[in-house]
Amino acid sequence: MPADKICKTVHQYSKVPLSAEDMQKLQEIAEDYRTVKNYVYDRFGGIGSLPKLYPGYTIQNEMTKSGLRERLGMPSAYFYLAVFDALGDIKSQWSRTKTKVLECVGKNEGFSDTEKHYLRFLMKNGKIFEAVLNREPIPSLPEEYRQAFDEMEVQVDTEHLQSYLCRQVRKHHIKQHTDLEEGFALSERTYRYGDHGIYITTKEKRRRIFIPLTDNNRYERQLYIKLFPETNKVVFRVPVDVAVRSHPDYTGRVGIALGFHTMLTTEGGNRYGEELGNLQREYADWMRMQTGIYNRNRENNPGRKKFHAKKRRFQERLHGYVNQELNRFLRTEKPETVYMAKLPGVGSGGKNRRINQSPSMWQRGYIRKRLEQKCEEQSVELVQVFGKGISGECSRCGASGIKKEGRFFCPVCGYEAEEKMNTARNARERGGVETPLQ
């Protein structure tokens, strides 16, 4: 059964610009927050700290003894929020590392099925994985796994495979670092609502900053405050549980295709987000220009504060447009089920950076996440179908067709349509729904 509630992020906005003094106090906390996170990344982001990551209390105790909080003069609530924020990032990075290594193992044609199974087993068990990376003896296993593991070990070169695993982890694992001091997390101990605004704890004892808000909503959970020093304003991000909406009139089954120029096309030819390509090209052109300016003046560059601020505005403009068009898609099509091709990973592309810059700005990851979120909120089922060859297959007869200048033509049956419309029809059919011939 689908969940009756889901978590989404809502925003609260400062009503008026903060004073320069108050913004400076918030930036001091953000700078300390960044410093703590980088300290945790540097000290605990490597292989040697793997055994300490779960559940994390060992790291918490070591950070307490480090004396960093006292040197920064940082309130303990902010300090430990930064520590656990960084730990969450490290754990996520390890998940990405494991995913990449598993992908390399699967693609390695030099390994037998048994060798691949052995490597996957090493990575599946956290204690074994830690022991192999730290060159320690493999710990004892439960009896139900021991016999199978022993049988695998006699069939493979364990030393060679464990060395391969260590090399791959060293190759793909990244120690994180952040130069951003754009905000920080707030626990319930560090804020309180009142007087049509919010009071926030500062580094000064018994002193809080008051920020008037545009709404009177009150929350009792961890918040995140994002700072905009160029305008002296702030935005609070609040995770909330919201009820899932049910729409009796949402009965359609819609196939869709995502694109760079037009965000979304249905099998019926309806288009949503037709200005997305122009917005993304404008963003890409500006990024190219700024990169050139920065590279020419790298030694004398005073900083990139204005660059990051304008980049953020470009992204917010893009994201606002994406959300607006996805909402319009759901209201107009009223789908019970949406079918789309499972998107491939982002490749490295060719050597022409000028050509590849615009596709690299494509917000497809954001579009997909927002579509998933909005479908979940509206009780719409989102089905991702097998995507290989989906754009080159004729949706009428299944033969391979010709794509040219945004059009699709089938030399077998003569079917001709817009390329994205043909792709959307194929997505719907691969989802098990027949599309009427046109």
Side-chain angles (χ1 to χ4, degrees):
M1 293 293 291
D4 58 352
K5 287 189 177 183
I6 60 171
C7 182
K8 66 177 292 185
T9 300
V10 299
H11 297 83
Q12 288 188 298
Y13 301 89
S14 55
K15 190 172 184 178
V16 296
L18 279 66
S19 67
E21 181 183 0
D22 285 348
M23 179 57 73
Q24 179 62 36
K25 290 178 180 178
L26 294 177
Q27 286 182 286
E28 288 177 5
I29 299 172
E31 168 61 21
D32 290 347
Y33 199 87
R34 182 186 71 86
T35 300
V36 174
K37 289 185 69 173
N38 284 332
Y39 186 95
V40 176
Y41 291 152
D42 186 61
R43 185 167 175 179
F44 303 106
I47 291 171
S49 295
L50 257 176
K52 301 178 181 179
L53 291 182
Y54 299 94
Y57 297 119
T58 301
I59 293 177
Q60 180 183 4
N61 293 335
E62 289 188 23
M63 289 298 296
T64 300
K65 296 175 182 177
S66 69
L68 179 61
R69 186 179 77 81
E70 289 75 13
R71 290 197 297 273
L72 294 173
M74 191 178 185
S76 61
Y78 291 131
F79 179 78
Y80 291 112
L81 282 172
V83 170
F84 283 102
D85 195 357
L87 282 180
D89 293 340
I90 293 172
K91 292 173 183 178
S92 296
Q93 180 58 49
W94 273 112
S95 295
R96 290 191 290 271
T97 300
K98 284 186 176 183
T99 299
K100 187 62 181 177
V101 174
L102 284 170
E103 182 182 333
C104 293
V105 170
K107 291 181 178 178
N108 194 318
E109 297 179 356
F111 289 147
S112 66
D113 290 343
T114 303
E115 288 172 324
K116 290 181 180 180
H117 184 56
Y118 177 78
L119 286 168
R120 291 178 183 129
F121 187 90
L122 295 182
M123 297 183 67
K124 184 177 180 180
N125 188 300
K127 295 295 184 183
I128 295 178
F129 183 61
E130 295 165 9
V132 170
L133 295 186
N134 288 291
R135 302 292 187 176
E136 297 173 352
I138 292 178
S140 59
L141 294 171
E143 189 60 37
E144 59 266 28
Y145 298 118
R146 170 53 62 185
Q147 183 177 354
F149 185 69
D150 289 343
E151 291 175 358
M152 273 193 296
E153 281 196 312
V154 299
Q155 299 179 57
V156 300
D157 185 342
T158 58
E159 184 176 349
H160 169 69
L161 292 179
Q162 291 179 18
S163 295
Y164 169 84
L165 180 58
C166 291
R167 289 196 306 273
Q168 290 298 315
V169 168
R170 286 196 299 270
K171 178 179 178 181
H172 296 291
H173 188 64
I174 299 170
K175 262 195 175 184
Q176 294 155 292
H177 181 86
T178 178
D179 292 321
L180 297 178
E181 45 189 78
E182 60 180 12
F184 50 92
L186 297 162
S187 68
E188 293 179 53
R189 293 172 53 194
T190 60
Y191 71 87
R192 68 175 177 85
Y193 287 99
D195 304 319
H196 305 289
I198 188 170
Y199 291 87
I200 297 177
T201 300
T202 67
K203 294 178 69 173
E204 299 178 41
K205 288 186 177 181
R206 301 183 181 278
R207 290 293 300 273
R208 294 195 176 205
I209 292 173
F210 176 68
I211 302 176
L213 299 174
T214 56
D215 63 60
N216 291 321
N217 296 333
R218 299 187 177 202
Y219 303 97
E220 295 180 356
R221 56 188 60 218
Q222 183 172 305
L223 316 179
Y224 184 87
I225 181 172
K226 189 171 183 181
L227 311 180
F228 296 90
E230 63 276 6
T231 59
N232 281 340
K233 291 188 176 182
V234 301
V235 174
F236 295 91
R237 297 174 182 168
V238 189
V240 297
D241 295 323
V242 297
V244 175
R245 299 177 184 176
S246 179
H247 302 274
D249 57 333
Y250 278 31
T251 57
R253 296 179 179 271
V254 182
I256 64 171
L258 302 185
F260 177 79
H261 300 287
T262 297
M263 181 183 73
L264 187 153
T265 304
T266 71
E267 89 281 350
N270 296 333
R271 300 178 184 86
Y272 301 89
E274 292 183 272
E275 288 299 312
L276 184 65
N278 293 332
L279 293 175
Q280 292 182 131
R281 273 193 296 272
E282 183 183 349
Y283 179 28
D285 289 343
W286 178 80
M287 283 289 291
R288 274 197 301 272
M289 180 183 70
Q290 292 298 317
T291 301
I293 293 172
Y294 178 75
N295 289 336
R296 288 193 297 271
N297 302 281
R298 188 184 295 268
E299 294 182 1
N300 300 318
N301 199 294
R304 309 200 79 187
K305 191 172 183 178
K306 290 183 178 179
F307 165 78
H308 287 302
K310 190 164 184 180
K311 180 181 178 182
R312 184 166 57 238
R313 289 197 294 272
F314 264 114
Q315 291 176 337
E316 288 173 350
R317 181 185 176 195
L318 273 169
H319 292 174
Y321 182 70
V322 166
N323 284 293
Q324 169 190 312
E325 289 298 288
L326 288 177
N327 289 336
R328 187 167 73 87
F329 160 69
L330 292 173
R331 286 197 308 267
T332 305
E333 301 293 334
K334 299 185 185 302
E336 177 184 15
T337 308
V338 175
Y339 301 93
M340 63 176 285
K342 187 175 182 180
L343 295 176
V346 180
S348 58
K351 295 182 179 180
N352 192 328
R353 293 184 180 181
R354 191 177 190 283
I355 293 175
N356 289 333
Q357 184 108 25
S358 292
S360 72
M361 299 293 163
W362 183 17
Q363 303 289 308
R364 67 175 181 181
Y366 179 79
I367 294 169
R368 179 174 55 186
K369 285 193 294 185
R370 294 306 297 156
L371 180 59
E372 290 173 351
Q373 176 81 14
K374 290 180 181 296
C375 284
E376 195 172 358
E377 290 173 7
Q378 306 299 328
S379 299
V380 175
E381 182 184 14
L382 180 62
V383 178
Q384 296 192 52
V385 302
F386 182 61
K388 186 175 182 180
I390 196 168
S391 64
E393 180 181 295
C394 177
S395 58
R396 175 177 287 178
C397 70
S400 295
I402 300 168
K403 298 182 290 182
K404 186 176 181 181
E405 297 179 350
R407 301 290 296 177
F408 175 88
F409 174 73
C410 179
V412 177
C413 70
Y415 176 70
E416 185 176 357
E418 183 187 352
E419 179 188 333
K420 292 298 179 184
M421 180 177 168
N422 179 70
T423 302
R425 287 168 59 92
N426 281 330
R428 190 171 188 263
E429 290 176 2
R430 290 188 180 189
V433 184
E434 292 187 4
T435 304
L437 295 178
Q438 297 181 358

